[in-house]
Amino acid sequence: MVNFKDFDFAGKKAIVRVDFNVPLNEKGEITDDTRIRGALPTLKKILADGGALIIMSHMGKPKGKVNPKLSLGQIANAVAAALGTPVKFAPDCADASTAAEALKPGEVLLLENLRFYPEEEGKPVGIDKTDPAYDAAKKEMKARQAEFAEKLASYADVYVNDAFGTAHRRHASTAVIADYFDAEHKMLGLLMEKEVVAIDNVLRNARHPFTAIIGGSKVSSKLAVIKNLLDKVDNLIIGGGMGFTFIKAQGGHIGDSLHEDDLMDEALGIIAAAKAKGVNLALSSRTVAADSFSNDANRQEVDIFNIPDGWEGMDAGEESLARWREIILASKTILWNGPVGVFEFENFAHGTGEIAKYVAEATRNGAYSLIGGGDSVAAVNKFGLADRVSYVSTGGGAMLEAIEGKVLPGVAAIKGE
Ligand code: AMP
C-alpha cells in the first residue's frame, strides 16, 4: 500500500472521498465545520504538491434523488475559504468528465452530492426485501454501482479515501471505486490514517491495564462491541441506561429505569463471560434517580439494586464514580463510548463530566485514550476536554464496527485485506 505522506501528487489529478456531511441551518449555512477542517491537511497536501483536486462527498440522506436542500453547492464557498483557493462546482457528479479534464494543477472541483444517485449506496430502490424480485434488483443495482464507481474513477489518476465516517459502508465512492485503481494509486488520507492507527492502538497494541467504558442508552446497540472487548480488556465499566438491564437480570429492582427485558439473558451471559475471562466488570452500584425524565425532576441517590417504583436511574452515583475513577486512573489504555447518564440534562450530567475528567487525568499521567461515538464526543466537547484526551474519533458508526472486530470496507478496499 502507498503511504499518502510519501506520495508526490505533482501533475496528478486526485479524487478524494471526504465526509462533508456538515450540519446546515435553514438558510443553508454551515453550523459546525469540524468535518471540513478535518479533511484540510489531506486536501492541502495534494494542492501544495502541485496536484489537482476533485472532492466528493455525500450530505444527508437524499435516498437516491436530487434534493436541492442537500446540495453540496451550498458549501462550495466555505470549502474555498477553508482551502484558500477557488472551488469549481460540478452540479452532476456522474457527468463531470469535461470539468475534471479541464482541471489544472492547483485547481479544485467539488462534485455534487453522491447520494443523489442510488448507485452510490447500491441498494435497490422501491422494492421490498421480501419481494421475490429483490435479488435480481439487487444484482442489477450492484452492476450499476460498479459503473457509477468506474465513472467517478475515470476523472482522476489517484484515489484517496479520507472519509472515516463512511468507512463502514461498501458504497461506490468509499470502496467500489478502489477496484479501478492499482495498488500504487489508491491510499488512505491523513484523517483516515489517524483513525485507523488510533483504533489499532487500542485493539491490537493496547498497553495494560486496558479499560473500556461503555455507556449510552441500549445494550442492544453495543452488544457486539462488548463481546469483542471481553477478549481484550482488563476492566469493563458499564454505565448509563444500558447498565440497568444488567442489574435487573441479576434480580435487582430498577424502578422505572430504562432497560431491555429481551436482553437479560445476554446480560447474564456477559457477566459470566467476564468472570470466565478474568475481566473486571465494573457495573454501577449507586445511581442518581429522578421521579420523572426531566432536568427539573426531584432527585435522590439510591442503591442501584433498590430503586423505588416511580423513580428511574439517570446518572452515576458518587460511590460508582469513586470506584470507576480508581480503575481509570490505574489504566494505560482507555476506550470510552457512551455517556454514563442523561448528560443532555444539566442536573444529570455530573457523572459523564466526571468520567471525562478522569480520562483526561489518566491521559495526562501517560495513558492512551480514545473517545468515540457521537454522544461521548459531544460530552468531552461539552466539558472542554477534547484536547486533553489522546484521540477523539470522528466516525461513530465506523468506530463501533471497527471495535466489534469488523474489517471496514473502506479500509479493506485500499489495504486489500
Ligand atoms: P447511545 O446513543 O446508545 O450512546 O446513547 C446515548 C444516550 O443515552 C444519551 O442520549 C443519554 O441521554 C442516554 N442515557 C444515558 N444514560 C441514561 C439513563 N440512565 N437513562 C436514560 N437514558 C440514558
Side-chain angles (χ1 to χ4, degrees), residues 214-219 221-222 239-244 256-259 287-288 293 312-316 337-345 348 352 372-376 400:
I214 306 292
S217 53
K218 288 188 175 161
V219 183
S221 61
K222 290 176 192 167
M242 69 164 60
F244 299 104
D256 294 352
S257 304
L258 194 73
H259 64 283
T287 185
V288 178
F293 189 76
E312 60 187 295
M314 299 272 275
D315 196 7
N337 178 285
V340 298
V342 186
F343 79 107
E344 296 93 333
F345 293 156
F348 299 95
T352 300
D375 276 320
S376 12
L400 281 184

Side-chain angles (χ1 to χ4, degrees), residues 312-326:
E312 60 187 295
M314 299 272 275
D315 196 7
E318 290 306 328
E319 186 184 281
S320 307
L321 289 172
R323 217 158 27 90
W324 291 343
R325 178 174 187 271
E326 231 173 83

